[in-house]
Amino acid sequence: MVGSHEHVVTGDAVVLDIQIAQLPVRALSALIDIIVVFVSYLVGVILWAATLAQFDSAFSAAVLIIFTVLALIGYPVIFETATRGRSLGKIAMGLRVVSDDGGPERFRQALFRALSGVVEIWMLTGGPAVICSLLSPKGKRIGDIFAGTIVITERAPRLAPTPMMPPQLAWWASSLQMSGLQPEQAELARQFLSRAPQLNPQVRDEMGRRITAEVLSRISPQPPPGTPASLLLAAVLAERHRRELERLRPEAPTGRPAPAGWPPQPPPPAPPGYVPPPAAPPGYGAAPAAPQTSAAPPAAPPTDGFAPPS
């Protein structure tokens, strides 16, 4: 059973189409995990009771508490961290926990989900998790909201990639106004293009005219007369995808696309104990001044015949 489609934008400005897992599949996956934890805990309690008479009561109680924590929290954290979002139940049902940006689940997120699961699944028998999943548009339980994660299905058929831009329509697509085009209409057009070769020619032409008319009512200007529906839809989808990526790229302060290496990184911090050198005195490093020569003519000898002794 497949959930709804969701568009996720990664940190590299790549738009991903993921499929949210539905509640029945997630409930069956959680039931498998609960059985695994219960059986493991039961075996551990039996072993603990067999060695109860050999150890001190305080030590035995501490061992039981540690084992309980490992069974309820350690199992999901260790499995989901090691397998990047998959427990035994999720592996069996083809599910995976991912971050809201489509990246793999991290240790911190797995820990938040496990801590929340102790309350909403084990202590309250899963009631808050079911209610929250039904109310959330992305099927999130309380632990997913706190951790910033989504449970997706990996066994659903993969969606076709965005079509390439037809070269003869690139000039027209670059001038389009597509603010009225909804994601549902774009998704419908993409599914039609991916399945068009498999459809009956009459059905394909009828669906193409209907979908094209709906898309044309949301964009402007109108395409060149006589443009085939397949080329027109491909140009609209390719231009829409290009603008999404362009909008997500960082920009330099001038408004132009950021060059490689932008924004500039700050200088590395000084190592501990580093003392900057003293500032140079004013004028340090300047070229030495040229010696000044007096341009005054030598004094004339006196006219009374007196000459100073040499």
Side-chain angles (χ1 to χ4, degrees), residues 77-168:
V77 171
I78 294 174
F79 262 87
E80 292 185 5
T81 303
T83 60
R84 294 195 172 190
R86 306 177 72 187
S87 61
L88 293 179
K90 293 180 177 63
I91 292 175
M93 302 305 300
L95 305 181
R96 183 183 294 272
V97 181
V98 297
S99 301
D100 285 338
D101 59 356
E105 183 187 22
R106 295 179 286 273
F107 172 79
R108 173 182 57 83
Q109 295 172 320
L111 181 60
F112 283 166
R113 295 184 79 254
L115 292 175
S116 177
V118 173
V119 178
E120 61 177 327
I121 295 179
W122 292 100
M123 297 180 61
L124 301 179
T125 65
V130 173
I131 296 175
C132 186
S133 298
L134 291 175
L135 298 178
S136 174
K138 296 183 179 180
K140 291 188 173 188
R141 65 176 178 89
I142 299 177
D144 293 318
I145 296 176
F146 287 145
T149 54
I150 312 174
V151 179
I152 65 173
T153 177
E154 296 183 314
R155 293 181 180 175
R158 295 185 177 273
L159 301 177
T162 303
M164 300 296 295
M165 170 67 70
Q168 64 271 30

Side-chain angles (χ1 to χ4, degrees), residues 41-251:
Y41 186 74
L42 183 61
V43 172
V45 170
I46 294 175
L47 296 177
W48 170 79
T51 59
L52 183 60
Q54 302 179 8
F55 299 100
D56 181 71
S57 59
F59 177 78
S60 299
V63 170
L64 182 61
I65 293 175
I66 293 175
F67 186 77
T68 303
V69 172
L70 289 178
L72 299 181
I73 300 178
Y75 164 75
V77 171
I78 294 174
F79 262 87
E80 292 185 5
T81 303
T83 60
R84 294 195 172 190
R86 306 177 72 187
S87 61
L88 293 179
K90 293 180 177 63
I91 292 175
M93 302 305 300
L95 305 181
R96 183 183 294 272
V97 181
V98 297
S99 301
D100 285 338
D101 59 356
E105 183 187 22
R106 295 179 286 273
F107 172 79
R108 173 182 57 83
Q109 295 172 320
L111 181 60
F112 283 166
R113 295 184 79 254
L115 292 175
S116 177
V118 173
V119 178
E120 61 177 327
I121 295 179
W122 292 100
M123 297 180 61
L124 301 179
T125 65
V130 173
I131 296 175
C132 186
S133 298
L134 291 175
L135 298 178
S136 174
K138 296 183 179 180
K140 291 188 173 188
R141 65 176 178 89
I142 299 177
D144 293 318
I145 296 176
F146 287 145
T149 54
I150 312 174
V151 179
I152 65 173
T153 177
E154 296 183 314
R155 293 181 180 175
R158 295 185 177 273
L159 301 177
T162 303
M164 300 296 295
M165 170 67 70
Q168 64 271 30
L169 295 178
W171 62 273
W172 170 73
S174 62
S175 63
L176 284 177
Q177 297 291 336
M178 295 187 292
S179 58
L181 186 62
Q182 301 298 323
E184 295 81 7
Q185 299 165 346
E187 181 64 28
L188 180 61
R190 183 170 62 173
Q191 291 183 4
F192 167 73
L193 291 180
S194 63
R195 300 175 182 176
Q198 306 171 2
L199 299 176
N200 182 275
Q202 296 181 355
V203 176
R204 181 178 65 240
D205 295 341
E206 178 62 26
M207 291 184 62
R209 284 193 297 267
R210 181 171 56 84
I211 296 175
T212 302
E214 186 175 359
V215 170
L216 288 179
S217 64
R218 305 278 181 164
I219 63 175
S220 63
Q222 296 300 301
T227 303
S230 59
L231 294 181
L232 187 148
L233 295 178
V236 172
L237 294 179
E239 179 65 19
R240 180 175 179 269
H241 183 70
R242 185 193 67 82
R243 293 184 185 183
E244 287 179 350
L245 298 185
E246 188 69 24
R247 177 177 57 86
L248 294 170
R249 290 195 182 99
E251 293 187 355

